[in-house]
Amino acid sequence: GAGVSQSPSNKVTEKGKDVELRCDPISGHTALYWYRQRLGQGLEFLIYFQGNSAPDKSGLPSDRFSAERTGESVSTLTIQRTQQEDSAVYLCASSLDPGPKTGELFFGEGSRLTVL
Amino acid sequence: GQQLNQSPQSMFIQEGEDVSMNCTSSSIFNTWLWYKQDPGEGPVLLIALYKAGELTSNGRLTAQFGTTRKDSFLNISASIPSDVGIYFCAGQSRNFGNEKLTFGTGTRLTIIP
């Protein structure tokens, strides 16, 4: 597709279950970001990929959170043993190769996670 | 870590009024950007600034990259209903190998009928 695609768009799960969120970036974009946005809040950085490597994982809240990227394309964010405080919209974004315009991110519509 | 303070948190204005919001950082950024988020969607880039002191316009929007590289402002002239939404500033340090973008806390713009 032409834009960043995320799935599922909505996910309701029970506390303690694992969830996987998927991101398909724009073709050719080597940089990929995950952000978390709680209701009414700003964007909280989680992790950044350059190619398949993650130079910055500093935003992952705990060891229950992990992410991987393969083929310099699809990325999966996994949350294990979900807690109610994990409820949020998880936004994925991608941008072009390293260079002056890498801050020009293109966002998906997000995956809304609700943990009951 | 880097902190971005954005103000005001919210604005209630009448259609046709001008709007001004700003962002300050505790550390230096190489790039400042402004994004807008509509309900249920991801943020969309409005303006990107790459040099200290740079002043850039995009239609009714004008943004500046502060000379200290620690601040930026966004002005919207003659606001219209579609300007409603949440505006985020973002800064990028571009340390070698790490292009992480840090976002401000957002300014929610509401137009009063």
Side-chain angles (χ1 to χ4, degrees):
Chain A
V4 176
S5 178
Q6 291 189 246
S7 61
S9 54
N10 275 287
K11 176 72 176 179
V12 180
T13 190
E14 292 180 347
K15 178 181 171 181
K17 301 280 190 183
D18 298 351
V19 297
E20 281 192 355
L21 307 176
R22 175 186 168 108
C23 174
D24 284 89
I26 293 173
S27 178
H29 281 192
T30 61
L32 186 147
Y33 301 75
W34 284 99
Y35 288 87
R36 178 170 70 179
Q37 187 174 31
R38 291 198 168 104
L39 187 64
Q41 303 293 311
L43 279 72
E44 177 187 359
F45 172 80
L46 296 179
I47 188 169
Y48 151 71
F49 287 92
Q50 185 54 249
N52 294 331
S53 302
D56 195 331
K57 305 180 184 179
S58 62
L60 294 177
S62 73
D63 58 8
R64 296 187 296 105
F65 287 72
S66 63
E68 65 173 16
R69 189 179 184 196
T70 56
E72 298 195 352
S73 180
V74 173
S75 176
T76 303
L77 177 67
T78 302
I79 309 173
Q80 295 179 311
R81 305 181 302 282
T82 52
Q83 303 294 312
Q84 288 182 331
E85 65 260 27
D86 298 335
S87 296
V89 175
Y90 290 82
L91 289 161
C92 177
S94 68
S95 71
L96 287 169
D97 285 340
K101 297 196 174 184
T102 57
E104 297 183 15
L105 270 53
F106 294 81
F107 281 86
E109 294 190 345
S111 291
R112 180 178 298 278
L113 174 65
T114 303
V115 182
L116 302 177
Chain B
Q2 292 166 329
Q3 299 288 324
L4 287 187
N5 297 310
Q6 190 171 345
S7 65
Q9 287 188 326
S10 59
M11 302 184 73
F12 296 86
I13 62 168
Q14 292 188 322
E15 184 176 348
E17 286 187 30
D18 296 344
V19 170
S20 184
M21 60 191 79
N22 68 79
C23 209
T24 58
S25 169
S26 58
S27 54
I28 289 172
F29 286 116
N30 302 111
T31 304
W32 279 96
L33 308 104
W34 286 90
Y35 287 81
K36 177 176 181 270
Q37 186 177 30
D38 291 329
E41 299 183 9
V44 174
L45 180 67
L46 298 175
I47 288 183
L49 302 154
Y50 298 104
K51 292 198 304 188
E54 179 180 357
L55 183 72
T56 296
S57 293
N58 179 6
R60 294 177 295 106
L61 278 59
T62 302
Q64 183 156 32
F65 190 146
T67 54
T68 65
R69 295 164 66 194
K70 291 185 177 182
D71 63 324
S72 177
F73 73 73
L74 174 70
N75 287 341
I76 306 172
S77 63
S79 57
I80 60 177
S82 61
D83 291 335
V84 166
I86 305 176
Y87 292 80
F88 292 100
C89 62
Q92 188 178 43
S93 300
R94 295 180 57 206
N95 295 318
F96 181 76
N98 188 343
E99 313 284 339
K100 182 176 75 175
L101 204 62
T102 301
F103 281 80
T105 48
T107 296
R108 182 181 295 274
L109 180 64
T110 302
I111 293 184
I112 306 168

